Amino acid sequence: MKRSDDLLAGLDDIDWAALGHAYGSANDVPGQLRTVCGPDAEARENAFCSLFSNIFHQGTRFSASPYAVPFLARIAVAGPVGARADALLLLTRLAIDWHDEYDLPLGIDTAAWRAAELDHSGTDDPEVCGGAAEAVGSRRRSVGSDRAATAQG
């Protein structure tokens, strides 16, 4: 089995023609995903542009969008090196939104969160966690306060 077959396992089990995207039927999504896994860098980039516009057009998700997620996740982890960052970007946009800086005024410090999770060994001692846990905890409290204030109007 080819590597792209592993990344795209189950792709043909989905009735893409019955799903929609920004421009109508999503029957072109499987071909775009296949091209994203292909060897041609220019074709891969063009396919990503089309895919991005189709399943996440100006921040809108469509019925085909969630069906593409498992394939994009596999591509982000084990796809062609040139496709991984694009797949991760599209997944992030599908999960967070187009204008995440507006939705989350202080942004998302994922690097600190990852560091805290990786470095944290079951203790809240900043010395043990290299200070990352304290920074993450402070950030989470801040985001929680911002959300609560926004919800209260």
Side-chain angles (χ1 to χ4, degrees):
M1 181 177 283
K2 294 186 316 185
R3 182 181 176 121
S4 63
D5 291 338
D6 293 338
L7 297 172
L8 302 175
L11 185 67
D12 294 326
D13 296 337
I14 297 167
D15 185 3
W16 293 98
L19 300 172
H21 61 49
Y23 302 102
S25 171
N27 62 351
D28 55 349
V29 170
Q32 291 164 349
L33 288 166
R34 283 187 177 91
T35 302
V36 161
C37 293
D40 183 335
E42 184 177 344
R44 196 169 45 237
E45 185 64 32
N46 289 336
F48 256 120
C49 288
S50 295
L51 191 59
F52 199 103
S53 181
N54 288 346
I55 67 171
F56 187 71
H57 185 75
Q58 297 179 349
T60 302
R61 286 97 171 155
F62 301 89
S63 60
S65 302
Y67 288 91
V69 167
F71 306 105
L72 291 168
R74 290 182 207 150
I75 294 166
V77 171
V81 174
R84 292 177 188 177
D86 287 336
L88 187 57
L89 174 64
L90 182 49
L91 284 168
T92 301
R93 290 296 172 214
L94 285 166
I96 295 174
D97 203 352
W98 184 259
H99 299 291
D100 60 342
E101 68 272 10
Y102 300 118
D103 297 338
L104 302 169
L106 302 175
I108 301 172
D109 190 355
T110 54
W113 287 9
R114 283 189 197 108
E117 293 302 318
L118 291 174
D119 294 341
H120 199 331
S121 59
T123 179
D124 290 329
D125 183 354
E127 293 296 322
V128 173
C129 299
E134 183 179 348
V136 171
S138 173
R139 174 80 177 121
R140 287 181 181 156
R141 286 189 295 280
S142 174
V143 170
S145 296
D146 292 345
R147 286 184 182 155
T150 302
Q152 291 177 354

